[in-house]
Amino acid sequence: MDKNFGRLPPLNALRGFEAAARLGSFSRAAEEQNMTQSAISHQVKSLEEFFGQPLFSRVGRSVELTDAGGDFLETARRTLEHLARGTRRMDAYLKPGQVVVATSPAFAGKWLIPRYEQMRRDIPLIEPWIYATNEQADSEYAELEIGIWRGHGDWPGLKTVKLFDDWITPLCAPGLLQGAGPNGAPADLSGLPLLHDEVREDWHDWFRLSGVERQDASAGYNFSDSGLLLDCAVAGHGAALGSLALADHHLEDGSLIRLFPTALKTEEAYYAVCVEEYLRRAEVRILWDWLIGQAETFRVHAYAGLSPLGEHGGSG
C-alpha cells in the first residue's frame, strides 16, 4: 500500500457497510448486494475491528448506526461515488472521440443539432453524446464532461465561459400575419394568439416596455420547454416571445419571422461549464473550444444591429 494514503480501512467492505446502513438490515443488504448475510456481517466486523469500535447497534432484527458509524457513512458514500464516477469515465477510452454534453432539450434541438454538419467538418473525430436535461447536475459527480446551461454564471467550482446573452422577441410563422407585417407597431399583435414558455421575462414585460396595454397577455398555450414553444409557433398556432438563439435556424429557413426589430435581453444567459481538470483530455478541450468559437460566430451574426427594448437594453 502507498504510504502516502496513510492508514486505510478494508475498501472491499464499504459497499456492504453502506447498504446495511441505508437499509437498516444485514439481511436486506445481503439480498441487494447478492451476498450472504454472513458475508455482510463479516465486512462490517472487519471495519469495526479496524476502527476498534462498533459501527452498528443491533436492535432486534434490524441495525442502527452508532454515532461513529453515522460519521463514517458519509465518508463511505463519498468514496463509493468517486469510485463509481472514475469507473464510468473509463468508458470514454473505449470510444476515444466521445464527449458527454449536458444541456436542455431546447438548446440541444434548436442550437446544437443544426450545427452538427459543421461539427463533422470541423472536428470529425469528436462524437458528442448529448444528455438532454433541464437539471443542472453537479458536474463533478455526474456522468458528463461539458454543460451548456442557462443561468447567471454562478456555479462555484466549475470553469465557466459565457457563450452569449439570450434575447427574446415576438416570432411567428409567415402565414399567421394576415395584414400585420414585420417591423410594424407592437399594437399589431392585438389580433394574434400568444404562446408562452417559462422564461422569467414574459409577454407582460414585452407589452409594458413597448408602451402597449393588452388585457389578455396571459391567455394562450403554455409550454415548459422553449423548443416546443417554437415548434408550436412554426405550426402557425400563435406568436411566441421566442429566443433568437433557439430560433436561429427557423429564422434562417424562413419558418419563423421576427415581427419587430427590437428585442428584450433576459436576465439569464447561456454558459459553457466544465470541471477544469476534464479539459486535460484532448477530446473535451477540442469540443469546448469549438463550442466557444461557434458561439462567437453566432453572436456576431445573429445579434448584429440588435435594437434593445426598454430598460433591458445592452449588447450581446
Side-chain angles (χ1 to χ4, degrees):
M1 179 186 296
D2 190 332
K3 295 186 181 300
N4 291 329
F5 292 123
R7 181 171 169 264
L8 295 176
L11 298 182
N12 63 337
L14 296 185
R15 291 187 66 176
F17 166 75
E18 189 280 333
R22 173 166 39 84
L23 299 172
S25 167
F26 284 8
S27 61
R28 291 171 62 192
E31 181 179 351
E32 179 187 85
Q33 299 296 313
N34 196 26
M35 300 168 63
T36 65
Q37 182 172 340
S38 62
I40 294 290
S41 297
H42 178 76
Q43 288 187 351
V44 171
K45 182 178 180 181
S46 68
L47 287 172
E48 291 178 329
E49 289 177 347
F50 177 84
F51 290 117
Q53 57 185 310
L55 301 178
F56 288 98
S57 298
R58 279 65 175 178
V59 182
R61 294 185 178 182
S62 63
V63 291
E64 295 180 356
L65 287 168
T66 63
D67 289 344
D71 185 283
F72 183 64
L73 177 60
E74 181 65 23
T75 300
R77 282 178 172 162
R78 286 186 174 274
T79 300
L80 291 169
E81 286 170 356
H82 278 283
L83 285 171
R85 177 167 57 92
T87 300
R88 289 194 301 267
R89 288 182 55 77
M90 294 302 291
D91 291 340
Y93 296 96
L94 297 174
K95 189 177 181 183
Q98 180 172 289
V99 179
V100 181
V101 180
T103 190
S104 68
F107 192 88
K110 299 298 184 183
W111 197 90
L112 270 182
I113 290 177
R115 288 167 172 78
Y116 264 27
E117 184 176 349
Q118 185 67 46
M119 183 188 299
R120 283 196 297 269
R121 291 196 297 265
D122 294 345
I123 49 175
L125 298 181
I126 305 302
E127 298 181 356
W129 192 95
I130 303 301
Y131 178 56
T133 175
N134 287 314
E135 298 295 325
Q136 296 177 357
D138 186 340
S139 297
E140 185 175 359
Y141 297 101
E143 191 178 354
L144 63 94
E145 288 155 310
I146 295 175
I148 303 176
W149 294 345
R150 191 175 184 276
H152 296 95
D154 49 351
W155 296 287
L158 296 178
K159 181 176 179 63
T160 303
V161 173
K162 185 177 180 180
L163 297 178
F164 40 76
D165 288 311
D166 194 20
W167 293 81
I168 56 176
T169 192
L171 308 169
C172 76
L176 193 67
L177 289 179
Q178 297 180 349
N183 303 327
D188 291 340
L189 283 167
S190 60
L192 298 180
L194 303 181
L195 307 175
H196 311 263
D197 62 6
E198 294 186 352
V199 175
R200 180 182 182 277
E201 295 80 6
D202 59 16
W203 280 109
H204 290 281
D205 296 312
W206 175 270
F207 286 118
R208 177 176 55 83
L209 293 171
S210 299
V212 175
E213 291 188 12
R214 179 160 173 172
Q215 299 301 317
D216 64 341
S218 297
Y221 300 147
N222 293 268
F223 301 88
S224 63
D225 180 90
S226 297
L228 294 177
L229 169 85
L230 294 176
D231 289 340
C232 192
V234 169
H237 296 305
L241 190 58
S243 163
L244 289 176
L246 300 185
D248 185 46
H249 78 284
H250 289 303
L251 295 170
E252 288 284 344
D253 67 20
S255 56
L256 287 177
I257 60 173
R258 292 181 60 178
L259 295 175
F260 310 106
T262 52
L264 173 63
K265 186 170 74 172
T266 67
E267 290 186 1
E268 296 184 328
Y270 284 101
Y271 294 83
V273 302
C274 185
V275 177
E276 191 152 13
E277 68 180 80
Y278 292 177
L279 294 174
R280 298 173 187 170
R281 184 170 162 241
E283 292 84 355
V284 178
R285 170 59 75 174
I286 289 170
L287 182 54
W288 175 268
D289 291 342
W290 184 86
L291 288 168
I292 292 173
Q294 285 292 304
E296 173 65 21
T297 300
F298 162 77
R299 188 167 62 244
V300 171
H301 160 73
Y303 293 168
L306 203 61
S307 178
L309 178 66
E311 63 191 37
H312 289 259
S315 63

